Amino acid sequence: MINILLSGVSGAMGATLQQIITANPNTQVVAGFDQQANTSLPFPVYTNLETCAEAVDVIIDFSHFAAFPKIFGFAKSKKIPIVIATTGLSETDLTAIKEGSLEFPVFKTANLSLGINLIAKMLNEMVAKLESGFDIEIIEKHHNKKQDAPSGTALLLADAINEGLETKKDYTFGRHGRDTKRTENELGIHAIRGGTIPGEHSVIFAGNDEIIEVNHMALSKKVFAEGAVKAAQYLVGKAPGLYDMSMVVND
């Protein structure tokens, strides 16, 4: 049985994760962490992780990015493997992740969906054939409460494309004005926010009289919760290092 500490436990994703973890016979939530106390759950929820007394095998972090330094510092001090699903992290946070992974197992990915990571791999392998004669644009859509833009997933896909190109593209984030004619070395990334969209991503290759479009649509948050649990199971027992969803896909 894998004992999980769930960070961001009182949020919408925290509730979904609890359902997925409970349904899995090999995992259980033994403690939670959140900014506000919560006594309605069948396990303790801490606002101060230093008082956590439960034996924890792995942390899943779906909290707000402002809380990330606190949860990551706790994981590092205790050498507890951590699955990082929080988005909108700063350069300071990313540096801390890289340095921390030298001491304990850290799982960091922009998207926990198996499908997205398979698409990223496919794009990386196919894009060289489309480098000449095609303009590349990415459109991402999310719910109206998402705070960061563009999405980490859009950047994941853009990076996968760029890694497969001989001549790297410059990212253009949206367009506005009267002098915005597209240049050949652009890769456009556009963000849409509205309603309760869990997450949609489209990669468009626009050529002369031909359009190729690769789409992914998440129909609910369960896609990401299931991926997080798979990542947690994968991470337990691993050596110090930086892991991501592509490793789970290829495992």
Side-chain angles (χ1 to χ4, degrees):
M1 182 66 72
I2 295 175
N3 293 337
I4 297 173
L5 188 155
L6 187 53
S7 174
V9 67
S10 297
M13 184 57 75
T16 302
L17 269 163
Q18 289 175 58
Q19 296 174 8
I20 301 298
I21 293 169
T22 301
N24 188 320
N26 300 315
T27 59
Q28 63 179 353
V29 181
V30 296
F33 170 71
D34 219 292
Q35 301 288 60
Q36 303 295 326
N38 187 338
T39 59
S40 66
L41 299 174
F43 48 81
V45 175
Y46 295 95
T47 57
N48 178 7
L49 283 170
E50 297 305 320
T51 62
C52 178
E54 283 69 29
V56 176
D57 297 314
V58 62
I59 297 168
I60 298 178
D61 178 33
F62 259 106
S63 62
H64 189 276
F65 55 77
F68 175 77
K70 188 181 297 183
I71 186 71
F72 189 76
F74 173 77
K76 183 178 179 180
S77 68
K78 302 293 185 181
K79 300 298 184 288
I80 302 173
I82 183 170
V83 176
I84 301 168
T86 298
T87 60
L89 299 179
S90 68
E91 289 299 323
T92 300
D93 295 330
L94 297 177
T95 298
I97 290 169
K98 185 176 180 180
E99 293 175 351
S101 68
L102 300 175
E103 302 179 25
F104 71 111
V106 179
F107 191 102
K108 171 72 175 73
T109 190
N111 192 298
L112 287 157
S113 158
L114 178 65
I116 279 289
N117 286 275
L118 287 171
I119 286 173
K121 181 180 179 182
M122 178 189 72
L123 289 170
N124 178 263
E125 294 172 352
M126 69 181 273
V127 70
K129 302 292 185 181
L130 302 171
E131 184 163 0
S132 176
F134 285 85
D135 297 322
I136 308 171
E137 300 277 313
I138 296 174
I139 300 172
E140 57 99 340
K141 306 175 186 178
H142 283 87
H143 53 85
N144 57 22
K145 292 183 172 57
K146 184 171 177 60
Q147 297 192 29
D148 56 310
S151 68
T153 301
L155 294 174
L156 179 152
L157 296 174
D159 290 346
I161 290 168
N162 238 358
E163 288 170 7
L165 293 172
E166 183 175 344
T167 303
K168 308 307 178 188
K169 301 286 188 182
D170 295 327
Y171 298 165
T172 297
F173 300 102
R175 294 186 181 88
H176 175 75
R178 297 190 178 192
D179 187 19
T180 58
K181 182 179 178 181
R182 196 183 201 284
T183 61
E184 187 176 347
N185 68 329
E186 284 186 48
L187 195 166
I189 304 175
H190 313 277
I192 293 172
R193 298 289 176 265
T196 59
I197 304 170
E200 296 181 25
H201 292 84
S202 299
V203 181
I204 301 167
F205 296 88
N208 292 326
D209 303 317
E210 182 177 20
I211 298 172
I212 301 170
E213 190 166 344
V214 179
N215 298 307
H216 180 274
M217 182 184 298
L219 299 179
S220 79
K221 295 179 183 294
K222 287 184 177 179
V223 171
F224 311 117
E226 289 173 352
V229 175
K230 287 179 182 177
Q233 292 177 289
Y234 173 85
L235 197 61
V236 171
K238 289 289 190 294
L242 188 57
Y243 300 86
D244 61 38
M245 204 64 185
S246 67
M247 298 174 184
V248 177
V249 169
N250 294 321
D251 189 37

